[in-house]
Amino acid sequence: MQNKGAIKFFAIALALVSLFQLSFTFFSKRVESRARNYARNEEATREAKESAKGNAILETTIFDSIAKAREEYFLDSMANQPVYNILVRKYTYQEVKERELNLGLDLKGGMNVTMEVSVVEIVKALADNSDNPVFVQAIQKAVEKQRNSQEDFVTLFGQSFEEIDPNAKLAAIFNTVDLKDRVTFNSTNQEVLNVIKEETNGAIDRTFNILRTRIDRFGVAQPNIQKMSTAGRILVELPGIKE
């Protein structure tokens, strides 16, 4: 009996905590619903019609722009306004927004896109787009291998280069202006491949950071930006974004 009482107590406590957490989402969505109603009223419709002068497509575009601007204005004005009172604590819109549940794409909808950094082009650029026949063949062979392999492109390129000409030296191709401080004519093929991997990984990291910085700058709520297992691919999920 004591165990049943304890289970019941924890079940009730868990339910209350869950309701409390859900309440932030409820009040956040209520404010956003008011913002949409404010943004898409008769005044916005009239302004769009007057500006479009009979052009239906232009009217829709102008209306969407006006509505978006009005909605952002409403939400900005509500940022520090109390919207949720509980006991002696008052939460502003900004605070409930920070505490709302992350609904994600499944529940909220939005944009989902996979972006890919072209590692092939990075390797070519590091070699100053060399026309060395062994290099060109190794690139082509690595591209073909990658279609049915989980290995990263640089590894496949190294394997292909070795298969085409075991005596060929990568150092002779990659001793370029950009890499001359790290690749010498005495560098082994593995040492050159390690440098290429560092450079390609660095390019992917820079791309990832640029994407994250730009998305954060636009204030997208709860974005999901992550590197995928396939080298060079970056997944971007933006809940609630339509454009």
Side-chain angles (χ1 to χ4, degrees), residues 8-159:
K8 185 180 292 186
F9 170 78
F10 284 114
I12 293 172
L14 179 61
L16 291 174
V17 171
S18 299
L19 287 173
F20 177 67
Q21 292 298 325
L22 284 170
S23 66
F24 291 107
T25 302
F26 171 77
F27 283 96
S28 171
K29 298 309 174 190
R30 191 168 75 168
V31 173
E32 290 166 5
S33 177
R34 288 168 54 195
R36 285 190 295 272
N37 292 336
Y38 169 79
R40 298 176 178 274
N41 60 9
E42 294 181 359
E43 182 181 347
T45 303
R46 185 175 63 256
E47 289 181 20
K49 284 184 178 180
E50 291 175 354
S51 300
K53 297 179 180 179
N55 187 323
I57 297 177
L58 182 59
E59 181 181 332
T60 301
T61 302
I62 294 174
F63 177 80
D64 287 342
S65 297
I66 293 173
K68 184 177 181 180
R70 288 169 62 89
E71 186 173 342
E72 289 177 353
Y73 169 78
F74 184 93
L75 293 177
D76 286 343
S77 67
M78 292 295 296
N80 297 314
Q81 297 297 317
V83 296
Y84 182 19
N85 298 336
I86 179 169
L87 299 177
V88 295
R89 180 73 160 88
K90 293 182 179 180
Y91 293 93
T92 65
Y93 169 67
Q94 183 174 341
E95 289 173 329
V96 299
K97 187 67 178 174
E98 291 171 352
R99 289 169 171 79
E100 73 172 352
L101 295 178
N102 185 356
L103 298 179
L105 292 180
D106 293 341
L107 296 176
K108 194 174 183 179
M111 182 179 293
N112 181 331
V113 61
T114 300
M115 309 185 76
E116 183 170 9
V117 179
S118 180
V119 178
V120 178
E121 295 303 320
I122 295 174
V123 174
K124 288 181 180 179
L126 290 173
D128 280 348
N129 292 302
S130 173
D131 57 1
N132 180 294
V134 178
F135 173 76
V136 173
Q137 291 177 46
I139 288 286
Q140 294 173 346
K141 192 170 184 178
V143 170
E144 293 173 1
K145 284 183 176 182
Q146 196 171 40
R147 294 170 184 163
N148 301 304
S149 174
Q150 296 299 317
E151 289 281 3
D152 65 272
F153 179 80
V154 176
T155 298
L156 295 174
F157 166 72
Q159 294 173 357

